[in-house]
Amino acid sequence: MTAKAREMKAAGLDVISFAAGEPDFNTPDPIIAAAKQALDDGFTKYAPSKGHPTLVEAIQRKVKRENKFSAEASQIVVSCGAKHSVYNALQVLLNPGDEVILFAPFWMTYADQVALAGGKIVVITTDVENNFCPHPDQIKAAITPRTKAIVCNTPSNPTGGAWDRNLIKEVAAIALRHNLTIISDEIYERITYDHDHTSFASLSKDVANQTITILGVSKTYAMTGWRVGFTVSNPQIAAAMANLQDQVTSNATTFAQIGAATALDSDPSLVQGMIDAFTTRRSLGLDLIRQIPGCSVNDPKGAFYFFINVKSHLNSSIADDITLANHLLETAHIATVPGSVFYAPGHLRLSYATSPDQITEGITRLKTALADLS
Ligand SMILES: Cc1ncc(COP(=O)(O)O)c(C=O)c1O
């Protein structure tokens, strides 16, 4: 959708894109300055595959300060973005046929990466009524002797749903009881609304030992193109991931890691403006979406996405969300992402990483286009 929208824009069409999965802000200046300085200072060589010590130490400070757990350097692996971190985790954990529990709607990369590791996904469906949070009984019912891991992503892409501390505790207890590894993707941890993020690894030493926490700088610091993500896990898993990465990419770009260290050590005020802007856009967008007849949307507690149920607008000519997303792009010139790619047909994901004017104009176009359909 993003690529098609870009092509249409290049052809001169006034396309509004709600498809982006990245902040529309620039990386803050001090982070850019630190990376430029790092180039001048010679951070242009290989670094240890599992991460430059400057960044590893900044990660240790960050998780202690923000995520409320301690990590030794031996527990940390820096990779080329959080996506790479998830890949490493699944590759070292899974044997062919092992099962991994996912909560739909989910970021499609998880399913593809489980397949790449020879595993099998077991999907638990969550719904808007529970703000896309699962019930612990659903998890208990999904566990089999082949279940190896459970992938949790709170706050979530695509729904913005976020789990509260009680749910996190219950899920952790189930994982411990059944000896499952928790892959906790917390990439949106700092972009939250009326919600305090809890890291699984902060619950207890036992839970931390069983958890691979996935973190990064892409979303919080608008650094998607820098390609720096990292994991904190037990030392055995960290060593296995580092061995794998050593033969695949070696280290993440050295001077980018120095920029990432500056990001992690920065004062929270550096990104507060961006988070405040998302908060304002979220309210604006929710108000507008809730005025569209036949659409429903949850209250996102984090990230920068609206996940809209459009089932009542589907009919015999526009029979599914993929057809609808294409129709909206072609006729109303708005780019959205169909819910099917997140294992949730009948929905559209709209990213509000775009200006308030574009949000207002784009959602107005959506309302008109849906009215024309019916
Ligand atoms: C849930 C989730 N995890 C991980 C990532 C990947 O982050 P990175 O850009 O650091 O690879 C994304 C990016 O869209 C995401 O939505």
Side-chain angles (χ1 to χ4, degrees):
M1 278 296 167
T2 312
K4 203 163 162 186
R6 222 177 270 143
E7 271 171 34
M8 289 171 69
K9 271 188 192 168
L13 294 170
D14 170 25
V15 175
I16 294 180
S17 181
F18 289 119
E22 59 185 342
D24 55 322
F25 295 91
N26 291 333
T27 305
D29 289 342
I31 302 172
I32 292 179
K36 284 182 179 167
Q37 188 63 48
L39 282 169
D40 287 341
D41 291 347
F43 287 89
T44 52
K45 312 267 191 226
Y46 291 130
S49 286
K50 51 189 298 196
H52 192 285
T54 301
L55 178 54
V56 170
E57 284 163 22
I59 292 168
Q60 289 179 281
R61 287 189 289 276
K62 178 250 181 302
V63 294
K64 188 160 200 177
R65 191 180 62 245
E66 293 175 4
N67 303 85
K68 312 290 179 216
F69 65 90
S70 311
E72 301 292 330
S74 60
Q75 296 177 255
I76 293 167
V77 179
V78 176
S79 302
C80 308
K83 183 180 266 188
H84 186 201
S85 301
V86 178
Y87 179 81
N88 283 344
L90 291 166
Q91 286 291 326
V92 304
L93 276 182
L94 301 186
N95 291 316
D98 281 346
E99 294 175 5
V100 177
I101 294 177
L102 300 182
F103 300 94
F106 54 74
W107 185 45
M108 53 282 199
T109 293
Y110 302 137
D112 289 344
Q113 291 195 351
V114 168
L116 284 168
K120 190 173 156 250
I121 60 167
V122 173
V123 177
I124 290 176
T125 304
T126 64
D127 52 39
V128 67
E129 282 76 36
N130 297 319
N131 209 348
F132 296 105
C133 294
H135 192 283
D137 289 345
Q138 290 179 286
I139 303 174
K140 290 177 200 156
I143 293 171
T144 75
R146 292 308 307 258
T147 312
K148 192 58 123 352
I150 175 164
V151 178
C152 307
N153 172 218
T154 169
S156 143
N157 173 12
T159 66
W163 298 5
D164 65 20
R165 194 177 171 79
N166 278 342
L167 178 57
I168 287 176
K169 276 183 170 169
E170 286 187 83
V171 174
I174 297 170
L176 286 189
R177 207 173 310 129
H178 293 271
N179 198 24
L180 310 181
T181 299
I182 302 163
I183 298 178
S184 179
D185 181 347
E186 303 179 23
I187 192 82
Y188 293 99
E189 56 167 343
R190 292 272 303 278
I191 305 174
T192 57
Y193 319 99
D194 310 323
H195 171 79
D196 290 325
H197 177 74
T198 300
S199 287
F200 275 93
S202 70
L203 294 181
S204 71
K205 283 254 180 298
D206 285 346
V207 177
N209 192 45
Q210 200 107 337
T211 302
I212 305 176
T213 308
I214 312 274
L215 294 163
V217 290
S218 297
K219 314 289 177 175
T220 304
Y221 299 97
M223 291 174 68
T224 47
W226 293 58
R227 309 313 301 135
V228 179
F230 48 93
T231 50
V232 186
S233 65
N234 70 43
Q236 291 77 14
I237 289 180
M241 292 195 292
N243 279 344
L244 169 69
Q245 181 169 304
D246 203 31
Q247 300 307 342
V248 183
T249 57
S250 300
N251 61 287
T253 305
T254 307
F255 57 86
Q257 292 194 49
I258 303 302
T262 300
L264 296 184
D265 279 335
S266 66
D267 189 88
S269 59
L270 192 65
V271 290
Q272 195 54 47
M274 182 178 84
I275 294 167
D276 290 346
F278 284 140
T279 308
T280 309
R281 295 163 182 193
R282 170 183 174 275
S283 307
L284 170 72
L286 280 177
D287 281 351
L288 292 167
I289 294 165
R290 290 193 169 131
Q291 290 167 32
I292 305 178
C295 285
S296 58
V297 65
N298 59 313
D299 263 332
K301 298 280 180 208
F304 37 75
Y305 307 106
F306 299 124
F307 202 64
I308 310 176
N309 184 325
V310 289
K311 285 180 189 161
S312 73
H313 292 282
L314 302 176
N315 56 36
S316 51
S317 58
I318 307 270
D320 58 53
D321 52 297
I322 298 175
T323 314
L324 178 61
N326 278 309
H327 173 82
L328 291 171
L329 183 55
E330 277 151 25
T331 59
H333 296 165
I334 48 176
T336 60
V337 183
S340 292
V341 301
F342 307 104
Y343 231 84
H347 295 78
L348 295 176
R349 189 194 76 176
L350 271 64
S351 157
Y352 47 95
T354 188
S355 72
D357 285 351
Q358 295 269 293
I359 291 172
T360 306
E361 168 64 19
I363 297 177
T364 307
R365 285 189 201 177
L366 176 67
K367 185 178 179 182
T368 310
L370 291 177
D372 287 350
L373 275 184
S374 50

